[in-house]
Structure formats: C-alpha cells, structure tokens
Amino acid sequence: MKMSFAGRVLEMSRCHVMGVLNVTPDSFSDGGRFNRQDAALLKARQMVADGAAFIDVGGESTRPGAAKVSIQEELDRVCPVVEVISRELDVIVSVDTSTPEVMSQTAGLGAGLINDVRALQRDGALAAVADAGLPVCIMHIQGEPETMQDRPEYQNVLRDVGEFLTQRVRVAVQAGIDAQNIILDPGFGFGKNLEHNVRLLASLEQLHSLGHPLLVGMSRKSMLGLITGREVDERLSASLAAATISAMKGASIIRAHDVRETVDAVRVATAIKEAV
Ligand code: 7PM
C-alpha cells in the first residue's frame, strides 16, 4: 500500500524514519526569522542526509506546563520553516500541530503530512485536513497535554486506544478525509503510565488490524527512562531498542530525534523481517 504525501510516494508496508524538528524558542535560540529558518534548514538537511523520509516540524510544545502559544505565534514559527524545507530538500514535511489555521496554511506551503497529537479534536481541524487533501496522523491521547500524566487510567489500554482511534477514523471519514490518507499512532506517553506504554508496544500488531499504517514515537521518552534509569540525554540505546521492536512489529514510521542511528536500527529490523 503506497501513500502519496504532496506528490512524494512511499510504500507503507516498509518502515521509514521521521526526524523531529522543534521550532520552539527553547530549541532555537531566537535570533529572528531568517536565523531560525537557517538553523532549521541546516538541521533538516542533516536529517535528510542521515536517511529521514519525513521531517516533523512542531511549533507548540506539548510538554505538561508549557506556555500556551497563540495561533499567530505558531504560524510565525512554523510557516517559514515548512516553506524553506519543502522548497530546498527532497523530503516529506510533516507538521506537528492541532491548530486548523496552521494545517491550512502549511498545506499551501508544501507540507505533506499533518501530525495532530490531539487527533483532530479542535474545532475546525477535521475540515482543515479534509480541505487540504493531505494525509494525516491521528494519535491517541487521554486528556489534555497539560494534565494527561496525572494518574492515567484505562479499563484495558489496548482496547480503549483501539476504540478511540476507530472512532476518530469514523469521524474523520465522515468529515471528508480519505480513509486511505489516515495513519494511526497509539501516542506513547500521552496519558499513559509505564505499564500502559509497555502493553501497547507489546501488542502493537493488534493496532495494525485497524487497517491503517502505524506511526510510533518513543524517542527519549520517560517510559524509556523508567525502564533504564537513564536521564533524557542518555536514552539513545533504549530509543533504538524501542524503534527496532516497533519496526519488527510492522510500524511504517518511527518518529525519532537521532535519525542516523534510528535509520540503521530500522534497516537491520527490516532486513530480518523481510527474510522470515
Ligand atoms: C513534551 C511532551 C515534549 C511530549 C515532547 C513530547 C509524538 C508526536 C510528540 C508521538 C506523534 C516528544 C513529544 N510525540 N507525534 N509528537 N507521535 N505522532 O517526546 O509519539 O517528542 S511530542
């Protein structure tokens, strides 16, 4: 099953790497628009050289307690970066946003994928994606980013996540989004404790049966810190183990900070998987 991202076609039965590019002020010491565009392009260029198929551009921190970003501020951060990467590099630009205005504007600037950690639940988001005609990643989240990690609870995390995603697919298709353009993500760390995250990864194959390609993001996340006892800067090996397991279990896209290393891990997993 091939998918087309603003004209770039990928075989989704294979596993691809998505590099993370944050354009929040804490990530790019702010020196105005051109400086930020330059720094982002440099980082993106390296990730493409390292084998990234996607660059995920995000301008709103989803960290609990992070300051709220106005629509205009998010547009100012994200649009120039999406525009310059689409123009200059041979890569699919993904936009990590829940804001309909950002979805619509970046679609016109060459974005190839909308990645919404709020599963198109904001007013206007479904219509923005339907009008853009772009593929979308719908991620499971329990609660809101600010409070999602205060005592998350499930009856059965696998069933609950599956039902949420099925429901959001139904709503998205009703809103005019092509079912073939929908990627699903269990949302590791988004309203889940360690046991929840581990169960989801252990049973990732089951989410595959929903009939959509899967994207997963565990790079440097706290679940890996809890398992290994490592601080965020020391979680590369753990992230590669998680990426390898995900690729073996059929994930189509791995979202990662360390692209070169993740691409190697995915290549090894893919070689073994295809030899079975
Ligand atoms: C604070 C909390 C900072 C969470 C950063 C994060 C995913 C994503 C993110 C994911 C998809 C991070 C996350 N995670 N999009 N965006 N799937 N589709 O650790 O797992 O990078 S942000």
Side-chain angles (χ1 to χ4, degrees), residues 62-63 96 115 117 137 139 185 190 215 217 221 255:
T62 42
R63 188 160 20 86
D96 194 339
N115 173 28
V117 301
C137 176
M139 197 194 78
D185 183 339
F190 284 84
L215 187 160
K221 281 189 181 171
R255 184 179 179 277

Side-chain angles (χ1 to χ4, degrees), residues 68-88:
K68 271 212 165 54
V69 175
S70 73
I71 294 171
Q72 193 55 52
E73 177 62 28
E74 194 187 346
L75 285 167
D76 290 345
R77 287 179 189 175
V78 170
C79 289
V81 171
V82 169
E83 188 273 326
V84 76
I85 296 174
S86 307
R87 174 158 49 85
E88 297 288 335

Side-chain angles (χ1 to χ4, degrees), residues 27-246:
S27 46
F28 280 104
S29 49
D30 196 40
R33 171 189 168 138
F34 294 108
N35 222 312
R36 193 154 61 199
Q37 243 180 338
D38 263 19
L41 183 58
L42 206 67
K43 178 99 203 277
R45 202 185 288 286
Q46 184 63 53
M47 292 197 286
V48 174
D50 289 342
F54 298 83
I55 304 290
D56 191 38
V57 179
E60 185 218 14
S61 177
T62 42
R63 188 160 20 86
K68 271 212 165 54
V69 175
S70 73
I71 294 171
Q72 193 55 52
E73 177 62 28
E74 194 187 346
L75 285 167
D76 290 345
R77 287 179 189 175
V78 170
C79 289
V81 171
V82 169
E83 188 273 326
V84 76
I85 296 174
S86 307
R87 174 158 49 85
E88 297 288 335
L89 303 179
D90 183 17
V91 73
I92 299 160
V93 179
S94 161
V95 185
D96 194 339
T97 188
S98 303
T99 313
E101 292 83 351
V102 175
M103 296 170 178
S104 304
Q105 284 208 35
T106 55
L109 295 170
L113 173 68
I114 302 299
N115 173 28
D116 184 5
V117 301
R118 293 182 183 79
L120 306 178
Q121 294 182 102
R122 278 207 184 142
D123 285 345
L126 288 159
V129 169
D131 289 346
L134 287 179
V136 62
C137 176
I138 293 180
M139 197 194 78
H140 174 271
I141 180 170
Q142 184 180 85
E144 273 284 309
E146 295 71 33
T147 52
M148 64 191 178
Q149 289 307 97
D150 318 344
R151 297 197 153 273
E153 276 189 60
Y154 297 86
Q155 278 197 351
N156 173 329
V157 69
L158 202 68
R159 190 176 37 115
D160 293 357
V161 167
E163 284 176 6
F164 173 93
L165 292 174
T166 304
Q167 170 72 15
R168 294 309 299 164
V169 168
R170 187 157 44 233
V171 170
V173 170
Q174 265 165 18
I177 296 170
D178 185 347
Q180 309 261 58
N181 266 346
I182 298 176
I183 296 167
L184 298 179
D185 183 339
F188 289 101
F190 284 84
K192 291 154 192 103
N193 66 23
L194 177 59
E195 184 191 334
H196 300 141
N197 288 314
V198 166
R199 285 222 178 119
L200 282 168
L201 180 55
S203 304
L204 197 66
E205 299 93 336
Q206 288 199 45
L207 291 177
H208 230 145
S209 67
L210 300 179
H212 295 268
L214 299 179
L215 187 160
V216 300
M218 282 176 277
S219 181
R220 302 181 185 172
K221 281 189 181 171
S222 69
M223 61 181 283
L224 303 178
L226 290 170
I227 293 172
T228 60
R230 304 274 185 206
E231 290 304 316
V232 61
D233 292 342
E234 301 294 332
R235 295 177 190 161
L236 174 58
S237 304
S239 300
L240 297 178
T244 306
I245 294 163
S246 305

